[in-house]
Amino acid sequence: KAASRSTINNSGVTDSKSEQREMQKDFPASVWEVVLSGCLDMLGFKPFYGHKERKLAADAIRELDLEDIKNESFRELSGGQRQRVLLARAIAGSKKVLVLDEPITGLDPVAAAHLYYLLDRLNQNGTTIITISHDISKALSAANKLLIMSDKPHLASEAERREILDV
């Protein structure tokens, strides 16, 4: 069975950035509902979320320290809080692989550092995290493997990592 994956980009979990931006303006869901929606793929033909999905959502909320805002409206949250909620949604849907597209775009330095801390913690607990980033120095410091996209894509050697950091 193929692993589920979620993509977090600078405007949310979606394939269409402009569609997500428009949706966020009038999105009345609570943090709990957004995180729980990460389990939609697991429902199959069931019409309602069950104990398993609710537990996954509750665990993700706890893991990302969102208990105190779980009843808040998603649209009323700050950018950093939204990113944490969307990360919790992705985690509820799959703890195996997360694909993130520019996850810190629009975040202040404190929120960005906290997001990287959370990603590192998830990775230490066994989640594979693939991040697309133009912030090369941060990507190098946060990643344990680096894929260089060039004419010949390859995993960077330690010497290449040092060379990139020295630039």
Side-chain angles (χ1 to χ4, degrees):
K1 179 178 172 183
S4 298
R5 73 179 173 102
S6 293
T7 303
I8 298 179
N9 58 34
N10 62 356
S11 59
V13 177
T14 186
D15 291 330
S16 170
K17 290 181 182 182
S18 60
E19 182 182 310
Q20 179 67 18
R21 281 188 212 107
E22 284 303 310
M23 184 206 55
Q24 284 181 350
K25 290 178 185 173
D26 293 327
F27 198 59
S30 69
V31 167
W32 168 253
E33 291 165 329
V34 170
V35 175
L36 187 59
S37 74
C39 299
L40 276 171
D41 286 348
M42 298 175 196
L43 292 179
F45 292 110
K46 295 187 301 183
F48 303 106
Y49 294 107
H51 176 73
K52 175 186 173 188
E53 294 84 16
R54 291 177 191 282
K55 181 172 179 353
L56 288 168
D59 290 348
I61 283 174
R62 190 175 316 102
E63 191 166 6
L64 280 117
D65 305 319
L66 297 168
E67 294 101 340
D68 57 330
I69 62 167
K70 75 177 186 179
N71 296 316
E72 301 289 323
S73 172
F74 180 78
R75 68 179 169 201
E76 301 298 323
L77 302 177
S78 70
Q81 289 172 320
R82 285 184 183 188
Q83 288 292 67
R84 286 176 36 221
V85 170
L86 294 171
L87 183 57
R89 180 184 188 274
I91 292 166
S94 172
K95 288 196 83 152
K96 294 180 182 181
V97 178
L98 295 177
V99 178
L100 301 109
D101 182 12
E102 299 288 349
I104 63 166
T105 299
L107 299 183
D108 64 64
V110 173
H114 186 66
L115 185 64
Y116 274 117
Y117 164 77
L118 294 170
L119 293 174
D120 183 56
R121 200 170 74 190
L122 288 168
N123 184 248
Q124 295 298 322
N125 290 329
T127 302
T128 298
I129 299 171
I130 301 168
T131 303
I132 298 148
S133 179
H134 289 91
D135 184 350
I136 302 298
S137 62
K138 189 60 184 166
L140 282 170
S141 66
N144 56 20
K145 290 185 178 64
L146 178 67
L147 177 63
I148 296 178
M149 300 302 291
S150 60
D151 293 336
K152 211 172 187 183
H154 64 281
L155 285 176
S157 67
E158 194 55 42
E160 287 175 301
R161 286 175 69 104
R162 281 193 301 276
E163 181 181 325
I164 293 168
L165 279 173
D166 288 338
V167 171

